[in-house]
Amino acid sequence: QKEVEQNSGPLSVPEGAIASLNCTYSDRGSQSFFWYRQYSGKSPELIMSIYSNGDKEDGRFTAQLNKASQYVSLLIRDSQPSDSATYLCAPERGSARQLTFGSGTQLTVLP
Amino acid sequence: GAVVSQHPSWVICKSGTSVKIECRSLDFQATTMFWYRQFPKQSLMLMATSNEGSKATYEQGVEKDKFLINHASLTLSTLTVTSAHPEDSSFYICSARRAINEKLFFGSGTQLSVL
């Protein structure tokens, strides 16, 4: 079992729709979770962080965490073409609180 | 936000040569820096964790004698790929943070191509 698994892409949604990205993780000790967006050839940029069970909203983005199910998700409302990128789920782990990245879900928002 | 500068952005080298990549925290002191490698269409894989003044901790499967990491100061960490081969061609990314409970900042990455 991979440490971090994300729903296989690519995922295409029309402009204005909701994009749903899912992630499961294996380390029950992980307490902090991050979603990053990465454009091709660029380094990741932080979109959301979540630490507690439930929902966390920031603008068009909502992160959801369920530690019992070891599941974290990201919803993007009113998707825009500029949201087209690869989204990486990254739980923290270990004493140094390293990030373990999932393989990413490539999202394409069609105009 | 804090800035992490990574140089060079891209480098092409001949097989067998060594390449050094620098990662600098420009406006904060980074107690910890991380080095990642990313192959095309794949995710970031952590190579090593680097703490200032101490030896880096390498992830399983990463050759410490091939990927030399030096974190000599609170603002600079270097990754040297020794005797590079074509299979080392990859996107290398560093990240840094001031303290364990603070945000992580990423460098812009270095695309290494070994001919």
Side-chain angles (χ1 to χ4, degrees):
Chain A
Q1 181 188 5
K2 289 183 179 179
E3 289 187 65
V4 183
E5 295 203 51
Q6 296 186 235
N7 49 328
S8 58
L11 175 66
S12 293
V13 300
E15 185 173 356
I18 296 175
S20 177
L21 306 166
N22 303 314
C23 173
T24 57
Y25 60 94
S26 61
D27 186 352
R28 285 194 171 275
S30 295
Q31 295 297 316
S32 303
F33 305 86
F34 302 86
W35 282 98
Y36 285 84
R37 176 172 62 194
Q38 186 179 28
Y39 295 108
S40 181
K42 303 293 184 182
S43 61
E45 55 180 304
L46 183 64
I47 299 294
M48 291 280 292
S49 59
I50 187 165
Y51 310 104
S52 304
N53 283 329
D55 296 359
K56 178 182 178 183
E57 187 175 316
D58 184 1
R60 297 186 295 113
F61 300 95
T62 299
Q64 299 174 316
L65 174 61
N66 183 325
K67 292 183 182 179
S69 300
Q70 295 173 253
Y71 171 86
V72 59
S73 68
L74 180 70
L75 297 177
I76 306 174
R77 291 183 300 280
D78 188 24
S79 296
Q80 301 297 309
S82 57
D83 294 327
S84 298
T86 297
Y87 289 80
L88 303 168
C89 169
E92 268 187 356
R93 65 170 175 86
S95 57
R97 295 173 66 173
Q98 309 96 311
L99 294 181
T100 300
F101 286 88
S103 55
T105 299
Q106 185 177 343
L107 171 67
T108 300
V109 180
L110 304 170
Chain B
V3 177
V4 175
S5 174
Q6 188 174 341
H7 290 284
S9 298
W10 56 270
V11 57
I12 301 173
C13 69
K14 292 183 178 179
S15 185
T17 61
S18 294
V19 174
K20 181 184 283 188
I21 302 169
E22 290 189 350
C23 181
R24 292 181 184 271
S25 55
L26 296 185
D27 51 0
F28 68 100
Q29 293 185 324
T31 56
T32 305
M33 290 186 173
F34 301 94
W35 287 95
Y36 293 86
R37 178 169 55 181
Q38 185 176 34
F39 293 108
K41 304 291 187 184
Q42 295 187 25
S43 190
L44 282 77
M45 297 301 296
L46 180 65
M47 299 176 67
T49 301
S50 170
N51 291 298
E52 185 268 340
S54 60
K55 291 183 179 180
T57 301
Y58 290 81
E59 294 297 301
Q60 192 173 11
V62 178
E63 300 175 58
K64 61 180 67 177
D65 293 331
K66 181 169 182 62
F67 299 99
L68 302 179
I69 292 173
N70 186 300
H71 192 164
S73 78
L74 283 170
T75 59
L76 174 65
S77 177
T78 60
L79 167 66
T80 301
V81 183
T82 62
S83 187
H85 288 94
E87 57 266 31
D88 297 323
S89 298
S90 186
F91 191 50
Y92 292 85
I93 307 172
C94 72
S95 63
R97 68 177 180 220
R98 181 163 45 200
I100 197 166
N101 59 343
E102 295 197 13
K103 186 179 175 181
L104 196 61
F105 296 94
F106 282 85
S108 55
T110 297
Q111 182 63 53
L112 170 63
S113 296
V114 184
L115 304 178

